[in-house]
């Protein structure tokens, strides 16, 4: 029997329900077998976030790897980008990696992310191969004299050195006050230290690692960062930065205490990195602010399906200089082949230093776009039918409409756009609209909502 284990990123599920020690050990043994066979890879770096179930899952994963004959380098609690970076760099002998993390999902759940010898996350065809080996029981156990050993490792230390090299050390006069909200997650022990070593005044929020997440949930959306916004305002700080649970994404709060969308942060970094003709990759739902940046540099934007794996894939295929997602995941491919919450924070501080401007002033230099995001309830089995129905409706009623089918249906209209896209993690269907003015965005979202509801009603 062949089934599906991998979701949008790695394997996720409820701790001790789907993610039992038995399951975690078996899938890790499968991964160890795959690495042995395809890459002759033996040394696996393992890290975890601070979730309550992470130690249990880690120990099961380690057992599975040892039984496949792999040696394990246990890095303890550390961020996802630190594992990816340490594997990619090859300064130590790590051949591949596993990160145990629930990232931003609810506290009773957890997950396992697998990293290949080049530091990229396992996805697509390799996921299917691993599932085939798992369900077909097509893997070997090492004989008694080839069982692996466990060693201690410190991916965080390797990662920290890279961040310090990539950042800029400021003088006493230039130092900024930065409020760092690590959300009880994996970046808690490293990012406050890195930013302090770069010369800034750091005040931490939620920086004690705690799998119960008493201060805030690990997702960095606006409602979870209200405290951070208030603290930045009250203390008159220059910047606020928040990380998600495994530290691969970061979101900023400007000097006025305003939440900054990941699209804007991504556009600011792209603007800083792009040279004439360069390529930047982002998801289909990212704001047109990035098109403005690309035009300025006579560069090109490639838009992919929503999700880090697709963005990384397109970066590698097109030799792009940078990639990002609107949720605050930025990818700097020469340094790390995955989302990089820590590096993003270090680069934003470098940009503030180089431009000698506040973040709110930098943002004000860009054209403003207005976005509205909505969702409607929709059962999984109706989602693809709804996408098709919306596409047909737009084609017949507006035959000159420009339609982009990269992910769902995106319609370009005037200086704005609407995107209809199913969510596969919840029973909802998303509608995004963006316009040059607030009223244009409102008109577009109203149109989108009406079309989606009418077509959904015909299906139920
Ligand atoms: Mg994450």
């Amino acid at each position: 029997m062949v089934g599906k284990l991998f979701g949008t990123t790695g394997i996720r599920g409820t701790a001790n329900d789907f993610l039992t020690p038995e399951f975690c050990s078996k899938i890790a043994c499968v991964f160890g077998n795959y690495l042995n066979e395809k890459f002759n890879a033996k040394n696996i770096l393992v890290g975890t976030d601070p979730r309550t179930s992470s130690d249990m899952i880690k120990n099961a994963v380690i057992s599975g790897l040892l039984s496949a004959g792999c040696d394990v380098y246990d890095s303890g609690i550390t961020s996802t980008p630190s594992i990816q970076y340490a594997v990619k760099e090859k300064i130590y002998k790590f051949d591949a990696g596993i990160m145990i993390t629930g990232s931003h999902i609810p506290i009773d759940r957890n997950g396992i992310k697998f990293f290949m010898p080049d530091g990229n996350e396992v996805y697509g065809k390799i996921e299917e191969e691993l599932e085939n080996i798992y369900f077909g029981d097509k893997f070997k156990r090492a004989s008694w004299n080839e069982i692996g050993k466990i060693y201690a490792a410190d991916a965080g230390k390797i990662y920290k050195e890279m961040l310090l090299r990539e950042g800029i050390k400021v003088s006493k006069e230039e130092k900024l006050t930065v409020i760092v909200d690590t959300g009880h997650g994996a970046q808690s022990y490293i990012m406050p230290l890195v930013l302090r070593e770069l010369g800034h005044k750091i005040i931490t929020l939620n920086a004690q690692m705690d799998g119960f997440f008493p201060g805030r949930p690990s997702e960095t959306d606006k409602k979870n960062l209200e405290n951070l916004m208030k603290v930045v305002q009250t203390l008159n700080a220059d910047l606020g930065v928040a990380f998600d649970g495994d530290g691969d994404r970061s979101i900023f709060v400007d000097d006025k205490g305003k939440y900054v969308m990941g699209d804007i942060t991504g556009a600011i970094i792209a603007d800083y990195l792009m040279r004439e003709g360069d390529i930047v990759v982002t998801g289909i739902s990212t704001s047109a602010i990035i098109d403005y940046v690309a035009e300025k540099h006579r560069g090109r934007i490639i838009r992919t399906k929503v999700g880090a794996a697709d963005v990384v894939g397109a970066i590698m295929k097109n030799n792009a200089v940078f990639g990002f997602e609107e949720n605050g995941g930025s990818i700097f491919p020469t340094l790390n082949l995955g989302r990089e919450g820590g590096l993003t924070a270090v680069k934003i501080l470098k940009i503030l230093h180089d431009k000698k401007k506040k973040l709110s002033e930098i943002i004000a230099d860009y054209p403003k776009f207005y976005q509205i995001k909505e969702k409607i309830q929709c059962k999984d089995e109706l989602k693809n039918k709804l996408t098709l129905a919306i596409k047909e409706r737009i084609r017949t009623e507006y035959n000159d409409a420009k339609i982009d089918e990269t992910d769902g249906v995106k319609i370009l209209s005037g200086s704005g756009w609407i995107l209809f896209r199913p969510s596969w993690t919840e029973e909802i269907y998303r509608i995004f609209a963006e316009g040059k003015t607030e009223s244009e965005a409102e008109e577009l979202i109203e149109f989108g909502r009406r079309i989606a509801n009418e077509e959904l009603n015909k299906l139920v």
Side-chain angles (χ1 to χ4, degrees):
M1 174 204 144
V2 172
K4 196 100 191 79
L5 297 173
F6 285 84
T8 44
T9 170
I11 296 174
R12 283 175 175 169
T14 305
N16 246 352
D17 176 21
F18 175 68
L19 290 179
T20 59
E22 293 82 358
F23 169 77
C24 298
S25 165
K26 182 173 169 185
I27 190 67
C29 184
V30 164
F31 186 51
N33 266 259
Y34 178 83
L35 291 168
N36 283 333
E37 203 166 294
K38 300 263 171 169
F39 301 94
N40 198 21
K42 192 172 174 341
N43 303 308
I44 318 300
L45 179 64
V46 174
T48 78
D49 70 11
R51 286 185 181 240
T52 56
S53 55
S54 289
D55 273 346
M56 178 196 80
I57 295 172
K58 180 182 82 175
N59 282 292
V61 160
I62 289 177
S63 277
L65 290 170
L66 298 175
S67 93
C70 294
D71 286 335
V72 172
Y73 291 78
D74 181 2
S75 198
I77 296 180
T78 192
S79 65
T80 298
S82 74
I83 294 288
Q84 276 189 278
Y85 177 72
V87 169
K88 176 178 185 284
E89 268 309 285
K90 299 278 169 277
I91 34 177
Y92 292 80
K93 49 183 179 174
F94 312 133
D95 292 317
I98 289 184
M99 176 73 188
I100 289 116
T101 178
S103 182
H104 59 283
I105 60 178
I107 53 178
D108 59 327
R109 297 163 57 99
N110 211 328
I112 311 175
K113 293 186 184 194
F114 302 84
F115 301 105
M116 298 296 284
D118 65 355
N120 196 5
E121 192 172 345
V122 162
Y123 79 102
K125 258 190 75 72
I126 304 167
E127 293 178 347
E128 279 170 37
E129 281 182 63
L130 295 176
E131 284 163 349
N132 281 333
I133 301 170
Y134 179 94
F135 289 109
D137 281 325
K138 290 181 262 180
F139 59 94
K140 289 184 280 211
R141 301 283 187 184
S143 63
W144 69 271
N145 55 348
E146 285 177 340
I147 292 169
K149 287 201 167 305
I150 308 176
Y151 302 92
D154 192 350
K157 183 167 175 278
I158 302 166
Y159 182 60
K160 188 177 159 204
E161 283 161 10
M162 180 272 280
L163 293 177
L164 290 173
R165 266 199 313 277
E166 290 299 317
I168 187 149
K169 170 108 178 138
V170 299
S171 67
K172 256 190 183 159
E173 295 71 42
E174 296 165 328
K175 81 167 168 203
L176 301 177
T177 301
V178 186
I179 317 295
V180 182
D181 179 350
T182 49
H184 308 295
Q187 291 286 26
S188 297
Y189 91 107
I190 208 124
M191 284 318 293
L193 298 178
V194 167
L195 303 183
R196 195 171 285 138
E197 275 188 46
L198 289 173
H200 299 289
K201 180 180 176 187
I202 302 303
I203 297 165
T204 56
L205 274 186
N206 305 315
Q208 76 280 29
M209 289 185 268
D210 189 332
F212 292 90
F213 298 94
R216 71 159 168 92
S218 53
E219 176 61 297
T220 50
D221 56 11
K222 200 171 175 180
K223 69 175 189 316
N224 291 341
L225 299 187
E226 265 167 23
N227 276 336
L228 176 62
M229 293 189 268
K230 264 187 227 153
V231 173
V232 168
Q233 257 186 334
T234 312
L235 298 183
N236 237 328
D238 299 292
L239 186 72
V241 54
F243 297 91
D244 76 327
D246 64 328
D248 64 344
R249 289 188 286 128
S250 46
I251 279 285
F252 297 83
V253 169
D254 74 10
D255 47 290
K256 307 233 191 277
K258 259 184 82 180
Y259 183 93
V260 181
M261 293 292 301
D263 313 65
I264 297 173
T265 315
I268 292 170
I269 299 171
D271 199 1
Y272 184 77
L273 295 176
M274 278 179 106
R275 301 289 168 263
E276 193 171 323
D278 277 348
I279 295 173
V280 164
V281 178
T282 192
I284 192 79
S285 58
T286 296
S287 163
I289 187 173
I290 191 60
D291 299 306
Y292 162 83
V293 170
E295 253 170 60
K296 190 172 145 187
H297 297 282
R298 286 189 223 141
R300 190 151 67 95
I301 301 302
I302 293 175
R303 287 181 189 269
T304 66
K305 282 188 181 189
V306 174
D310 286 287
V311 175
V312 173
I315 288 176
M316 290 168 76
K317 200 170 140 209
N318 297 286
N319 210 4
V321 291
F322 178 65
F324 68 101
E325 298 173 280
E326 36 101 26
N327 61 10
S330 294
I331 300 140
F332 303 81
T334 55
L335 292 160
N336 214 343
L337 284 178
R339 297 192 284 212
E340 248 298 357
L343 202 46
T344 304
V346 160
K347 293 289 181 193
I348 285 289
L349 278 165
K350 195 172 182 195
I351 292 169
L352 293 180
H353 175 266
D354 286 3
K355 291 192 184 286
K356 310 241 172 302
K357 281 183 173 177
K358 304 249 181 212
L359 183 56
S360 64
E361 292 166 351
I362 294 177
I363 294 169
D365 289 341
Y366 291 93
K368 186 144 178 53
F369 293 90
Y370 294 85
Q371 277 189 0
I372 305 173
K373 298 184 176 183
E374 278 201 13
K375 49 192 176 189
I376 55 173
Q377 291 298 315
C378 181
K379 292 208 179 313
D380 278 349
E381 61 267 26
L382 294 176
K383 285 173 181 169
N384 285 334
K385 286 181 193 157
L386 181 57
T387 303
L388 273 176
I390 292 169
K391 208 180 338 176
E392 262 324 292
R393 169 97 178 253
I394 300 292
R395 280 232 175 91
T396 42
E397 281 184 26
Y398 310 87
N399 48 21
D400 56 345
K402 274 196 221 152
I403 300 179
D404 182 330
E405 294 178 44
T406 305
D407 194 354
V409 192
K410 186 176 183 177
I411 304 154
L412 307 168
S413 160
S415 50
W417 52 265
I418 318 174
L419 174 68
F420 300 90
R421 209 188 125 250
S423 159
W424 296 107
T425 49
E426 291 168 87
E427 288 220 321
I428 57 169
Y429 198 93
R430 297 183 189 282
I431 311 161
F432 289 1
E434 181 176 81
K436 270 304 287 161
T437 61
E438 224 166 340
S439 60
E440 186 184 21
E442 269 161 22
E443 254 170 55
L444 287 169
I445 202 81
E446 257 165 54
F447 171 81
R449 197 190 305 127
R450 180 170 62 80
I451 298 281
N453 277 321
E454 283 173 11
E455 292 308 313
L456 183 62
N457 284 339
K458 287 184 211 163
L459 293 172
V460 289

